[in-house]
Protein backbone atom coordinates (compact mmCIF):
# COMPACT_ATOMS: atom_id res chain seq x y z
CA UNK A 1 0.00 0.00 0.00
CA UNK A 2 1.36 3.47 -0.92
CA UNK A 3 1.71 5.44 2.34
CA UNK A 4 2.25 9.01 1.08
CA UNK A 5 1.40 10.41 -2.32
CA UNK A 6 1.84 13.82 -3.86
CA UNK A 7 -1.33 15.46 -5.11
CA UNK A 8 -0.66 17.94 -7.92
CA UNK A 9 -3.13 20.71 -8.49
CA UNK A 10 -3.31 24.15 -10.12
CA UNK A 11 -4.22 27.06 -7.84
CA UNK A 12 -7.74 27.20 -9.27
CA UNK A 13 -8.65 23.76 -7.91
CA UNK A 14 -6.76 23.99 -4.63
CA UNK A 15 -9.89 23.93 -2.47
CA UNK A 16 -11.20 20.79 -4.15
CA UNK A 17 -7.78 19.17 -3.73
CA UNK A 18 -7.83 19.97 -0.01
CA UNK A 19 -11.16 18.15 0.26
CA UNK A 20 -9.70 15.09 -1.52
CA UNK A 21 -6.70 15.25 0.77
CA UNK A 22 -8.90 15.31 3.91
CA UNK A 23 -11.01 12.38 2.67
CA UNK A 24 -7.95 10.33 1.74
CA UNK A 25 -6.34 11.05 5.08
CA UNK A 26 -9.50 9.85 6.88
CA UNK A 27 -8.98 6.59 4.93
CA UNK A 28 -5.36 6.25 6.01
CA UNK A 29 -3.64 7.72 2.93
CA UNK A 30 -1.25 10.60 3.55
CA UNK A 31 -1.28 13.17 0.78
CA UNK A 32 1.15 16.02 0.17
CA UNK A 33 -0.53 18.82 -1.73
CA UNK A 34 1.65 20.53 -4.39
CA UNK A 35 0.36 23.63 -6.12
CA UNK A 36 1.76 23.71 -9.63
CA UNK A 37 1.57 26.17 -12.48
CA UNK A 38 0.23 23.94 -15.26
CA UNK A 39 -1.06 20.38 -15.01
CA UNK A 40 -0.39 19.22 -18.57
CA UNK A 41 1.17 16.31 -20.45
CA UNK A 42 4.65 17.84 -20.13
CA UNK A 43 4.33 18.18 -16.37
CA UNK A 44 3.19 14.57 -16.06
CA UNK A 45 6.11 13.36 -18.21
CA UNK A 46 8.56 15.28 -16.01
CA UNK A 47 7.01 13.80 -12.84
CA UNK A 48 6.77 10.08 -13.61
CA UNK A 49 6.41 8.71 -10.05
CA UNK A 50 3.03 7.44 -8.90
CA UNK A 51 0.96 10.40 -7.65
CA UNK A 52 -2.51 11.93 -7.69
CA UNK A 53 -3.71 15.02 -9.50
CA UNK A 54 -6.90 17.02 -9.48
CA UNK A 55 -8.48 19.21 -12.13
CA UNK A 56 -11.93 20.20 -13.43
CA UNK A 57 -12.65 16.51 -14.20
CA UNK A 58 -11.94 15.46 -10.63
CA UNK A 59 -9.33 13.21 -9.04
CA UNK A 60 -6.82 11.19 -11.10
CA UNK A 61 -4.09 8.66 -10.49
CA UNK A 62 -0.99 9.54 -12.49
CA UNK A 63 2.40 8.03 -13.32
CA UNK A 64 4.80 7.65 -16.24
CA UNK A 65 3.30 10.61 -18.10
CA UNK A 66 -0.24 9.16 -17.96
CA UNK A 67 -3.29 9.83 -15.83
CA UNK A 68 -6.37 7.76 -15.28
CA UNK A 69 -9.65 7.76 -13.37
CA UNK A 70 -12.58 5.30 -13.49
CA UNK A 71 -14.17 7.74 -15.96
CA UNK A 72 -17.76 6.49 -15.96
CA UNK A 73 -18.61 9.20 -18.49
CA UNK A 74 -16.45 7.43 -21.09
CA UNK A 75 -18.50 4.25 -20.55
CA UNK A 76 -21.73 5.89 -21.78
CA UNK A 77 -21.43 4.80 -25.47
CA UNK A 78 -20.80 1.22 -24.30
CA UNK A 79 -23.83 1.38 -21.99
CA UNK A 80 -26.00 2.71 -24.81
CA UNK A 81 -24.98 -0.20 -27.06
CA UNK A 82 -25.62 -2.83 -24.38
CA UNK A 83 -28.76 -4.90 -23.87
CA UNK A 84 -29.94 -7.76 -21.69
CA UNK A 85 -29.71 -10.02 -24.75
CA UNK A 86 -26.27 -9.04 -25.97
CA UNK A 87 -24.38 -9.04 -22.66
CA UNK A 88 -23.09 -12.33 -21.25
CA UNK A 89 -22.87 -10.71 -17.80
CA UNK A 90 -26.62 -10.02 -18.01
CA UNK A 91 -27.39 -13.70 -18.48
CA UNK A 92 -24.89 -14.81 -15.84
CA UNK A 93 -26.32 -12.41 -13.23
CA UNK A 94 -29.93 -12.73 -14.39
CA UNK A 95 -30.17 -8.95 -14.75
CA UNK A 96 -33.60 -9.16 -16.42
CA UNK A 97 -34.99 -9.86 -12.95
CA UNK A 98 -33.58 -6.52 -11.64
CA UNK A 99 -31.64 -8.30 -8.88
CA UNK A 100 -30.15 -6.90 -5.69
CA UNK A 101 -26.45 -7.42 -6.21
CA UNK A 102 -23.25 -7.00 -4.20
CA UNK A 103 -20.18 -6.42 -6.37
CA UNK A 104 -17.59 -7.40 -3.78
CA UNK A 105 -14.56 -6.43 -5.90
CA UNK A 106 -15.41 -3.01 -7.29
CA UNK A 107 -12.17 -1.95 -9.03
CA UNK A 108 -13.09 0.79 -11.50
CA UNK A 109 -16.76 -0.09 -11.18
CA UNK A 110 -17.22 -0.63 -14.92
CA UNK A 111 -18.93 -4.02 -14.63
CA UNK A 112 -21.26 -2.64 -11.98
CA UNK A 113 -22.07 0.45 -14.00
CA UNK A 114 -23.18 -1.85 -16.82
CA UNK A 115 -25.15 -4.07 -14.43
CA UNK A 116 -26.88 -1.06 -12.85
CA UNK A 117 -27.68 0.27 -16.32
CA UNK A 118 -29.28 -3.07 -17.19
CA UNK A 119 -31.43 -2.99 -14.05
CA UNK A 120 -29.51 -4.32 -11.03
CA UNK A 121 -29.47 -2.54 -7.67
CA UNK A 122 -25.79 -2.66 -6.86
CA UNK A 123 -23.77 -2.36 -3.66
CA UNK A 124 -20.20 -1.81 -4.74
CA UNK A 125 -17.51 -2.80 -2.21
CA UNK A 126 -13.86 -1.77 -2.56
CA UNK A 127 -11.11 -2.04 0.07
CA UNK A 128 -8.36 0.04 -1.54
CA UNK A 129 -8.62 3.60 -0.14
CA UNK A 130 -7.33 5.35 -3.25
CA UNK A 131 -9.41 3.28 -5.68
CA UNK A 132 -12.43 3.78 -3.45
CA UNK A 133 -11.91 7.56 -3.43
CA UNK A 134 -11.57 7.58 -7.22
CA UNK A 135 -14.82 5.59 -7.47
CA UNK A 136 -16.62 7.94 -5.11
CA UNK A 137 -15.50 10.89 -7.20
CA UNK A 138 -16.72 9.19 -10.40
CA UNK A 139 -20.07 8.57 -8.82
CA UNK A 140 -20.34 12.21 -7.69
CA UNK A 141 -19.60 13.43 -11.22
CA UNK A 142 -22.04 10.91 -12.73
CA UNK A 143 -24.83 12.25 -10.54
CA UNK A 144 -24.71 15.47 -12.58
CA UNK A 145 -24.83 13.71 -15.94
CA UNK A 146 -28.20 13.55 -17.72
CA UNK A 147 -27.74 9.92 -18.84
CA UNK A 148 -25.78 8.51 -15.90
CA UNK A 149 -27.72 10.05 -13.01
CA UNK A 150 -30.53 7.47 -13.18
CA UNK A 151 -27.96 4.64 -13.48
CA UNK A 152 -25.87 5.66 -10.48
CA UNK A 153 -29.03 6.13 -8.41
CA UNK A 154 -28.97 2.31 -8.32
CA UNK A 155 -25.36 2.16 -7.03
CA UNK A 156 -24.26 2.38 -3.37
CA UNK A 157 -20.57 2.48 -2.50
CA UNK A 158 -19.07 0.78 0.54
CA UNK A 159 -15.45 1.23 1.66
CA UNK A 160 -14.61 -2.10 3.26
CA UNK A 161 -12.85 -5.37 2.85
CA UNK A 162 -15.52 -7.62 1.36
CA UNK A 163 -14.62 -10.44 3.69
CA UNK A 164 -15.75 -8.20 6.58
CA UNK A 165 -18.74 -6.85 4.69
CA UNK A 166 -20.02 -10.28 3.60
CA UNK A 167 -19.48 -11.71 7.10
CA UNK A 168 -21.54 -8.85 8.52
CA UNK A 169 -24.32 -9.46 5.98
CA UNK A 170 -24.36 -13.16 6.83
CA UNK A 171 -24.52 -12.42 10.58
CA UNK A 172 -27.49 -10.10 9.98
CA UNK A 173 -29.08 -12.77 7.76
CA UNK A 174 -29.29 -10.35 4.83
CA UNK A 175 -29.75 -12.27 1.59
CA UNK A 176 -29.20 -10.73 -1.85
CA UNK A 177 -29.93 -12.17 -5.28
CA UNK A 178 -26.36 -12.07 -6.56
CA UNK A 179 -22.81 -11.60 -5.29
CA UNK A 180 -20.44 -10.76 -8.15
CA UNK A 181 -16.70 -11.44 -7.78
CA UNK A 182 -13.90 -10.32 -10.10
CA UNK A 183 -10.90 -10.37 -7.76
CA UNK A 184 -7.95 -10.07 -10.14
CA UNK A 185 -6.98 -7.57 -12.78
CA UNK A 186 -5.34 -9.41 -15.73
CA UNK A 187 -1.73 -10.12 -14.75
CA UNK A 188 1.06 -8.10 -16.23
CA UNK A 189 2.04 -10.82 -18.69
CA UNK A 190 -1.57 -11.30 -19.77
CA UNK A 191 -2.08 -7.60 -20.44
CA UNK A 192 -1.05 -7.59 -24.08
CA UNK A 193 -3.33 -10.48 -24.93
CA UNK A 194 -6.30 -9.68 -22.72
CA UNK A 195 -6.57 -5.98 -23.32
CA UNK A 196 -4.83 -5.28 -26.60
CA UNK A 197 -8.16 -4.01 -27.88
CA UNK A 198 -8.04 -0.60 -26.22
CA UNK A 199 -5.15 1.76 -25.50
CA UNK A 200 -7.24 3.45 -22.81
CA UNK A 201 -7.80 0.17 -20.94
CA UNK A 202 -4.13 -0.69 -21.25
CA UNK A 203 -3.18 2.63 -19.68
CA UNK A 204 -5.64 2.09 -16.82
CA UNK A 205 -4.16 -1.36 -16.16
CA UNK A 206 -0.57 -0.09 -16.11
CA UNK A 207 -1.42 2.51 -13.49
CA UNK A 208 -3.53 0.11 -11.43
CA UNK A 209 -0.69 -2.41 -11.36
CA UNK A 210 1.53 0.32 -9.91
CA UNK A 211 -1.05 1.04 -7.21
CA UNK A 212 -2.05 -2.47 -6.22
CA UNK A 213 0.31 -5.03 -4.64
CA UNK A 214 2.44 -7.30 -6.78
CA UNK A 215 0.44 -10.33 -7.95
CA UNK A 216 2.41 -12.64 -5.68
CA UNK A 217 1.57 -10.60 -2.59
CA UNK A 218 -2.08 -10.32 -3.42
CA UNK A 219 -4.75 -12.65 -2.09
CA UNK A 220 -6.59 -14.29 -4.94
CA UNK A 221 -10.04 -13.85 -3.47
CA UNK A 222 -10.61 -17.59 -2.90
CA UNK A 223 -11.94 -16.96 0.62
CA UNK A 224 -14.66 -14.63 -0.74
CA UNK A 225 -16.49 -17.47 -2.49
CA UNK A 226 -17.66 -19.31 0.64
CA UNK A 227 -18.61 -16.03 2.30
CA UNK A 228 -20.56 -14.96 -0.79
CA UNK A 229 -22.39 -18.27 -0.86
CA UNK A 230 -23.75 -17.52 2.61
CA UNK A 231 -25.50 -14.34 1.49
CA UNK A 232 -26.43 -14.78 -2.18
CA UNK A 233 -28.81 -17.01 -4.06
CA UNK A 234 -26.34 -16.87 -6.95
CA UNK A 235 -22.60 -16.14 -6.90
CA UNK A 236 -21.06 -15.14 -10.22
CA UNK A 237 -17.28 -15.13 -10.66
CA UNK A 238 -15.59 -13.41 -13.60
CA UNK A 239 -12.42 -15.25 -14.63
CA UNK A 240 -9.89 -14.99 -17.45
CA UNK A 241 -11.05 -17.54 -20.04
CA UNK A 242 -8.55 -20.27 -19.11
CA UNK A 243 -8.08 -19.52 -15.39
CA UNK A 244 -8.59 -22.13 -12.68
CA UNK A 245 -11.85 -22.04 -10.74
CA UNK A 246 -12.01 -19.66 -7.80
CA UNK A 247 -11.18 -21.66 -4.64
CA UNK A 248 -10.87 -24.67 -7.01
CA UNK A 249 -14.62 -25.07 -6.76
CA UNK A 250 -16.38 -26.31 -9.86
CA UNK A 251 -19.30 -24.03 -10.77
CA UNK A 252 -22.88 -25.15 -11.44
CA UNK A 253 -22.92 -23.29 -14.74
CA UNK A 254 -20.52 -21.39 -17.03
CA UNK A 255 -20.82 -18.75 -19.70
CA UNK A 256 -17.74 -18.66 -22.00
CA UNK A 257 -16.61 -15.56 -23.88
CA UNK A 258 -13.52 -14.80 -25.97
CA UNK A 259 -11.48 -13.12 -23.22
CA UNK A 260 -13.28 -14.10 -20.05
CA UNK A 261 -15.88 -16.43 -18.66
CA UNK A 262 -18.48 -16.26 -15.91
CA UNK A 263 -18.74 -19.14 -13.40
CA UNK A 264 -22.03 -19.33 -11.49
CA UNK A 265 -22.76 -21.05 -8.18
CA UNK A 266 -26.39 -21.49 -7.13
CA UNK A 267 -27.35 -21.71 -3.46
CA UNK A 268 -30.40 -23.96 -3.54
CA UNK A 269 -31.08 -23.54 0.18
CA UNK A 270 -31.33 -19.74 -0.28
CA UNK A 271 -33.57 -19.94 -3.37
CA UNK A 272 -37.27 -19.61 -2.59
C1 LIG B 1 -10.13 -6.91 -11.14
S1 LIG B 1 -10.63 -5.59 -10.13
C2 LIG B 1 -12.35 -5.53 -10.44
C3 LIG B 1 -12.66 -4.86 -11.73
C4 LIG B 1 -14.12 -4.52 -11.85
N1 LIG B 1 -14.92 -5.71 -12.10
C5 LIG B 1 -14.38 -3.47 -12.90
O1 LIG B 1 -15.28 -3.66 -13.73
O2 LIG B 1 -13.67 -2.43 -12.91
C6 LIG B 1 -10.51 -6.21 -8.53
C7 LIG B 1 -10.74 -5.15 -7.44
O3 LIG B 1 -11.21 -5.83 -6.29
C8 LIG B 1 -10.63 -5.26 -5.16
N2 LIG B 1 -10.64 -6.31 -4.14
C9 LIG B 1 -9.98 -7.49 -4.17
N3 LIG B 1 -10.25 -8.20 -3.05
C10 LIG B 1 -11.09 -7.43 -2.30
C11 LIG B 1 -11.71 -7.59 -1.03
N4 LIG B 1 -11.49 -8.67 -0.29
N5 LIG B 1 -12.51 -6.61 -0.57
C12 LIG B 1 -12.73 -5.48 -1.32
N6 LIG B 1 -12.15 -5.26 -2.51
C13 LIG B 1 -11.34 -6.22 -3.00
C14 LIG B 1 -9.22 -4.85 -5.60
O4 LIG B 1 -8.72 -3.80 -4.76
C15 LIG B 1 -9.49 -4.39 -7.03
O5 LIG B 1 -9.78 -3.01 -7.05
Amino acid sequence: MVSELRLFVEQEFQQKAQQYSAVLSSRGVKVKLEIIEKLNARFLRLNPELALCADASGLWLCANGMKMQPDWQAEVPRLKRSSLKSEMIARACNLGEKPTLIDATAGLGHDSLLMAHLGANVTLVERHPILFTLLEDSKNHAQNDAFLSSVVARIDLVFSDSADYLTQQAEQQHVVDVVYLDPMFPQRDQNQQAIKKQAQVKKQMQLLHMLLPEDGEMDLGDHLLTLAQQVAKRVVVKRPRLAVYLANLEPDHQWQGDACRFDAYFQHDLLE
Side-chain angles (χ1 to χ4, degrees), residues 103-112 125-128 131 160-163 180 182-185 212 218-219 223-224 238:
D103 179 343
T105 52
L108 299 176
H110 292 169
D111 289 338
S112 268
V125 189
E126 173 57 53
R127 69 179 170 189
H128 194 290
L131 263 183
S160 171
D161 191 303
S162 285
Y180 179 77
D182 173 17
M184 297 291 290
F185 283 112
L212 295 168
M218 199 170 180
D219 73 67
H223 61 302
L224 295 178
K238 183 179 183 181

Side-chain angles (χ1 to χ4, degrees), residues 102 162-176 226-232 270:
I102 297 171
S162 285
D164 299 334
Y165 182 76
L166 292 171
T167 303
Q168 201 182 30
Q169 298 303 301
E171 281 167 3
Q172 295 169 359
Q173 299 187 334
H174 285 168
V175 173
V176 292
T226 330
L227 291 170
Q229 285 176 308
Q230 292 170 32
V231 301
L270 292 181

